[in-house]
Amino acid sequence: MSTSETPQISLLEASTESFQKGLVAFREGDKESAKPHMQEALTANPYDIGAMVILSLIDPEFEKEKGLFSSEAHRKAFVEITKSPHAKNLRRVGNILVLQLATDSDRAALKIVDIGIGTAVQEAELIRQLADSTNVKKVEIIGIEPVKEMSGMALQRLQSPEVQNAGVDIDFQTVNATGQNIPEQCIDEIRGKLVDVVLATISIHHATIEEKRKTLRAIRAMNPKYFVLADVNSDHESDLPKFSDELADNVRRFYSLAYQTLCEWADKNFPGREDIKAAFKKFNFDEARNILSRDYPNVADYHTTADRWRQLMQEEGFKIVNPQSIKGITDGLEGDIEVTDDTVYMLITENRKLFFALIAEPIK
């Protein structure tokens, strides 16, 4: 058999046997036996986030590289993460919908609510796209953001010359809240503004199921034309509130694949930038460790699949829109994409669809 015909085993599968042996030992309380198995898993696959997490739970000194993680270079590397394909894809789906809405109705003004607006990267991209391809001259943006520092960074970004010079007037206001605790008065005011689109991009996946329902009810009460949810396609809900082997492997597979894919992208686009790869490592490691090391049964970190989100939306009075009806829905998307009659799936690797976007509209 030639080299090209040799079956290629993935890095994840290469580390699976060692990880599972180590996990059994760890669950049985035999940390000394678990440690070498997890070290073997990392030798086979340096992206095995599950092995990293278990090692950190065994050895408090593991993953203590605080110098790099708290450095200015590392913080700047997080800015580069917004340029990664999965981040751009997730933002792009919502923006494509807004662009079509503006184009089809020849709108001069739009109103947008962003749940978890962060630093307004998505809005900055949208403003430039609207200026380039539509007749929109004004955009009113309401950012729901629990971290005040983030709101300040969002304002700074939207006031930057690059955005301001696009030729679109921006009316920006923020609400210091999470999706599930938006004040009723604020919801009433938003409903009165006739909102076009509510966005939630990687912002509400940590909430419990009841908190997700509260957020959906708040969004429905705003009565927007559309709601776009773009998030991670990961099922941790069904395993909670106990730390099971299934949960550990689910978390490991999702975050390991995300970390590996992003590092490969960084090597290609930012060669030599170890700070960027360290940022990806920290982000995925922190998320995975948070899920696996919480004080059960008080855990509230309920990542939820696209299927479950669709169910929740329908139960809370939303109709799922077929994304294939949105003109150009895949324009500008990078990597492996699958568009079904209800979902846009993104970053498909190892037979797993790591991210998704759903478009919904409130049932009147």
Side-chain angles (χ1 to χ4, degrees):
M1 182 180 291
S2 67
T3 303
S4 61
E5 295 173 330
T6 302
Q8 298 297 309
I9 185 169
S10 72
L11 283 173
L12 189 64
E13 293 308 318
S15 63
T16 293
E17 183 177 355
S18 296
F19 174 81
Q20 290 177 342
K21 287 180 179 178
L23 182 61
V24 169
F26 178 77
R27 292 284 308 282
E28 292 176 349
D30 188 356
K31 295 182 179 180
E32 289 303 311
S33 296
K35 188 173 182 177
H37 287 305
M38 291 303 174
Q39 290 170 332
E40 288 174 6
L42 276 179
T43 299
N45 176 14
Y47 305 109
D48 196 323
I49 291 291
M52 293 180 199
V53 170
I54 301 301
L55 279 172
S56 77
L57 297 176
I58 294 171
D59 180 3
E61 294 304 310
F62 184 79
E63 288 297 306
K64 293 293 184 182
E65 304 165 76
K66 297 298 183 185
L68 176 61
F69 289 164
S70 61
S71 69
E72 182 64 20
H74 181 263
R75 288 193 293 271
K76 288 182 178 178
F78 271 96
V79 175
E80 305 292 358
I81 290 176
T82 66
K83 302 175 184 177
S84 65
H86 83 276
K88 290 168 66 176
N89 285 349
L90 291 165
R91 297 193 301 267
R92 183 64 178 162
V93 173
N95 287 355
I96 288 171
L97 174 66
V98 176
L99 288 167
Q100 178 173 316
L101 182 64
T103 301
D104 289 352
S105 56
D106 195 24
R107 300 285 293 280
L110 290 169
K111 296 182 177 67
I112 296 169
V113 175
D114 191 339
I115 310 287
I117 192 169
T119 62
V121 174
Q122 183 160 0
E123 284 70 21
E125 292 173 345
L126 177 60
I127 294 299
R128 292 191 290 269
Q129 292 161 1
L130 288 168
D132 289 341
S133 59
T134 73
N135 292 322
V136 171
K137 300 301 179 186
K138 181 176 181 178
V139 177
E140 185 173 349
I141 301 168
I142 300 173
I144 312 297
E145 175 57 53
V147 183
K148 291 184 178 180
E149 291 81 2
M150 285 288 191
S151 298
M153 294 171 71
L155 177 60
Q156 185 178 30
R157 186 186 297 277
L158 295 176
Q159 289 180 338
S160 67
E162 182 182 9
V163 177
Q164 290 289 314
N165 294 337
V168 177
D169 182 29
I170 303 169
D171 180 355
F172 178 54
Q173 55 184 299
T174 60
V175 177
N176 184 223
T178 61
Q180 67 265 20
N181 66 9
I182 305 171
E184 288 295 329
Q185 182 181 353
C186 179
I187 293 175
D188 290 340
E189 292 174 356
I190 291 173
R191 180 168 55 244
K193 293 178 182 295
L194 301 178
V195 171
D196 292 294
V197 178
V198 173
L199 302 169
T201 305
I202 304 290
S203 61
I204 54 179
H205 55 279
H206 289 294
T208 65
I209 294 301
E210 182 53 37
E211 288 169 341
K212 284 183 171 73
R213 288 188 182 279
K214 288 180 180 178
T215 301
L216 290 173
R217 291 168 197 155
I219 293 169
R220 190 171 187 278
M222 295 174 192
N223 196 31
K225 289 185 176 67
Y226 295 101
F227 166 47
V228 182
L229 173 70
D231 220 308
V232 297
N233 187 30
S234 187
D235 179 14
H236 305 157
E237 174 201 344
S238 63
D239 297 306
L240 298 174
K242 59 186 175 65
F243 178 178
S244 65
D245 290 351
E246 182 183 4
L247 174 62
D249 194 54
N250 188 317
V251 171
R252 166 183 174 256
R253 288 182 178 277
F254 179 87
Y255 288 105
S256 298
L257 289 171
Y259 174 42
Q260 178 182 344
T261 303
L262 291 168
C263 283
E264 290 171 351
W265 169 80
D267 280 334
K268 179 180 179 181
N269 293 276
F270 300 93
R273 290 288 302 277
E274 292 302 313
D275 56 328
I276 293 179
K277 295 201 294 185
F280 286 136
K281 180 179 182 180
K282 177 173 173 56
F283 180 82
N284 287 279
F285 173 83
D286 285 354
E287 287 265 308
R289 194 182 194 282
N290 184 49
I291 296 166
L292 295 180
S293 63
R294 297 287 288 273
D295 181 20
Y296 297 91
N298 298 318
V299 67
D301 202 343
Y302 286 71
H303 290 51
T304 306
T305 63
D307 288 343
R308 179 68 163 128
W309 268 114
R310 280 195 299 273
Q311 178 186 343
L312 290 172
M313 287 182 179
Q314 290 164 347
E315 290 173 355
E316 295 300 333
F318 287 88
K319 174 186 175 183
I320 305 300
V321 175
N322 185 338
Q324 296 168 349
S325 67
I326 309 299
K327 183 179 179 181
I329 193 64
T330 60
D331 289 355
L333 301 187
E334 301 178 42
D336 291 329
I337 309 294
E338 180 181 330
V339 183
T340 68
D341 59 5
D342 53 26
T343 311
V344 180
Y345 291 105
M346 294 162 276
L347 196 55
I348 303 169
T349 181
E350 303 281 348
N351 296 317
R352 294 174 73 92
K353 301 165 184 176
L354 298 185
F355 299 95
F356 73 89
L358 292 170
I359 300 170
E361 54 186 359
I363 297 173
K364 306 300 182 183

